Amino acid sequence: MTMKLLLIAVELVCLLSGIFSFGSETLSELSFLESDVVPTRPSSSSSSQPQPLMVDLTLIQGADSKGAVCLDGTLPGYHLDRGFGSGADSWLVHLEGGGWCNTIRNCVYRKKTRRGSSKYMENQIPFTGILSNKPEENPDFFNWNRVKLRYCDGASFSGDSEDESAQLQFRGQKIWLAAMEELMSKGMQKANQAFLSGCSAGGLASIIHCDEFRSLFPESSKVKCLSDAGFFLDATDVSGGRTLRNLFGGVVQLQEVQKNLPKSCLSQLDPTSCFFPQNVIEHIETPLFLLNTAYDVWQVQASLAPPSADRLGSWNECKSNHANCSSSQIQFLQDFRNQMLSDIKDFSKSSQTGLFINSCFAHCQSERQETWFADDSPLIEDKPIAVAVGDWYFDREVVKAIDCAYPCDNSCHNLVFNFK
């Protein structure tokens, strides 16, 4: 089997000199990595494939009276498809991703998009992957109540402040609380099984809010959490700088995220450090599963080799297609993988944690059908992601799946980009 390439035709905007501090242009373009990619590779059986379920947007009425609003002051929203049969009292809540905003300037830009305002959110979205309602696509959770909570605060559902002069509301924590209250009133309070998941910025949020989610339910309920592509490393970029630390520092300070980070972490480290999952996971008491690629393409492009750290563009070919990476660049990426494995070493020792770390160049594998559960899904030891997550959630098996290093895995759906 040859390495599968998922060809994504994406045009990134030209970045202004010196502002890959995740300025608004950059952030808006990079958010495609979270949920906006559209494969241009034709599917051999696309005409015979069933269409995904389309689920309506519901705005949380009255949320504004609780201060729970998007960046622009509009109501937050979610998409809910009701469970049935044996899953009628089971709930899966999936937190949307979409980057962050760390300055007034790019938060003002963001509030004019669906990442900062429900005015621009789609009225319907497809439920695929872990949200699918088809047993052949989502064997363990297809008949659960499945929710996608929309992301419009720019701080992983964790900020709580405002900027009156810029007319910006940083109310991610209040959105989280209002959404949980709404879902509990819709029947989630009767859940005997509950699962909090999230992708990318939403995957970071699912870690931060994992214990809060657990506290909503009685001890008799089975409650666990999944972070997909949310394990962002406090890594050194190719110039020796700390691009992602600078970004996270801006987010934490601007949106006062420290109010909602684990106090046990804050007693040991600074708030920015406690926004990095590597420093938070040891403080999470609820069972947590980490699903991540060892060479996460968002982190490669936006944290390790952003234009601000690679002004001559020597990483452009490598970032667009890993097959174009030089031996020294591959070694840099292997060092990144080694840091990730080192950071999860203690986490992996716990009997209640789960892992699926595959050696692919991808991002967010639970939302896309082809990577979650399909005939040619990514595998570790012949097990696809959906089966690994299900085995772990239902305690069928201990799952600590860590892939061998690149280029050994020929089951990957690697992302290839067209930079112009």
Side-chain angles (χ1 to χ4, degrees), residues 23-229:
S24 56
E25 297 86 0
T26 305
L27 197 58
S28 65
E29 292 300 320
L30 282 174
S31 68
F32 78 87
L33 290 172
E34 320 243 337
S35 58
D36 303 343
V37 288
V38 179
T40 60
R41 179 185 65 176
S43 172
S44 59
S45 58
S46 58
S47 60
S48 62
Q49 289 180 345
Q51 292 300 305
L53 176 71
M54 301 300 293
V55 181
D56 291 338
L57 174 67
T58 299
L59 298 180
I60 304 176
Q61 299 302 323
D64 49 348
S65 67
K66 303 167 187 173
V69 292
C70 299
L71 287 172
D72 70 338
T74 53
L75 294 175
Y78 63 93
H79 304 256
L80 163 64
D81 185 49
R82 290 285 184 178
F84 57 92
S86 62
D89 289 326
S90 298
W91 285 73
L92 185 150
V93 179
H94 186 77
L95 304 179
E96 184 180 34
W100 306 268
C101 63
N102 64 325
T103 67
I104 293 296
R105 178 173 175 251
N106 57 44
C107 289
V108 167
Y109 174 90
R110 189 181 180 97
K111 76 175 184 176
K112 297 180 176 66
T113 75
R114 61 191 175 88
R115 302 295 192 204
S117 172
S118 57
K119 288 192 298 185
Y120 303 100
M121 292 178 185
E122 308 92 325
N123 290 325
Q124 287 188 327
I125 61 170
F127 268 26
T128 59
I130 197 171
L131 294 172
S132 173
N133 66 333
K134 302 176 180 64
E136 65 272 20
E137 296 179 349
N138 189 22
D140 282 309
F141 309 108
F142 72 96
N143 64 348
W144 284 33
N145 297 279
R146 299 167 329 284
V147 181
K148 186 167 188 175
L149 181 58
R150 300 303 296 269
Y151 179 41
C152 64
D153 64 277
S156 289
F157 299 92
S158 299
D160 190 10
S161 64
E162 65 180 325
D163 189 291
E164 291 184 10
S165 61
Q167 297 182 311
L168 285 168
Q169 294 290 322
F170 305 124
R171 302 301 183 188
Q173 178 69 20
K174 284 185 167 65
I175 291 172
W176 159 262
L177 292 172
M180 293 305 102
E181 183 179 349
E182 168 96 345
L183 295 175
M184 293 296 275
S185 73
K186 298 286 185 180
M188 195 168 74
Q189 82 277 6
K190 297 187 297 183
N192 51 35
Q193 299 180 120
F195 198 10
L196 178 66
S197 67
C199 157
S200 198
L204 171 55
S206 69
I207 295 174
I208 292 171
H209 290 296
C210 185
D211 285 344
E212 282 183 84
F213 187 69
R214 163 73 264 190
S215 70
L216 296 173
F217 306 96
E219 282 299 315
S220 58
S221 297
K222 177 187 283 288
V223 183
K224 297 187 179 185
C225 306
L226 164 68
S227 172
D228 177 10

Side-chain angles (χ1 to χ4, degrees), residues 297-348:
V297 291
W298 192 94
Q299 296 193 63
V300 171
Q301 294 182 16
S303 172
L304 299 183
S308 60
D310 179 36
R311 297 191 182 280
L312 298 180
S314 60
W315 274 78
N316 285 355
E317 288 298 312
C318 177
K319 288 192 298 182
S320 68
N321 187 342
H322 64 280
N324 298 329
C325 296
S326 67
S327 58
S328 62
Q329 288 170 332
I330 289 294
Q331 185 55 55
F332 188 88
L333 297 177
Q334 300 292 24
D335 291 342
F336 176 76
R337 172 182 178 269
N338 290 337
Q339 180 185 344
M340 180 181 293
L341 297 184
S342 175
D343 286 341
I344 62 175
K345 187 174 182 180
D346 289 340
F347 172 85
S348 67

Side-chain angles (χ1 to χ4, degrees), residues 5-22:
L5 297 179
L6 180 58
L7 181 59
I8 310 298
V10 176
E11 296 192 19
L12 296 180
V13 291
C14 294
L15 302 172
L16 299 177
S17 176
I19 27 174
F20 201 86
S21 59
F22 292 74

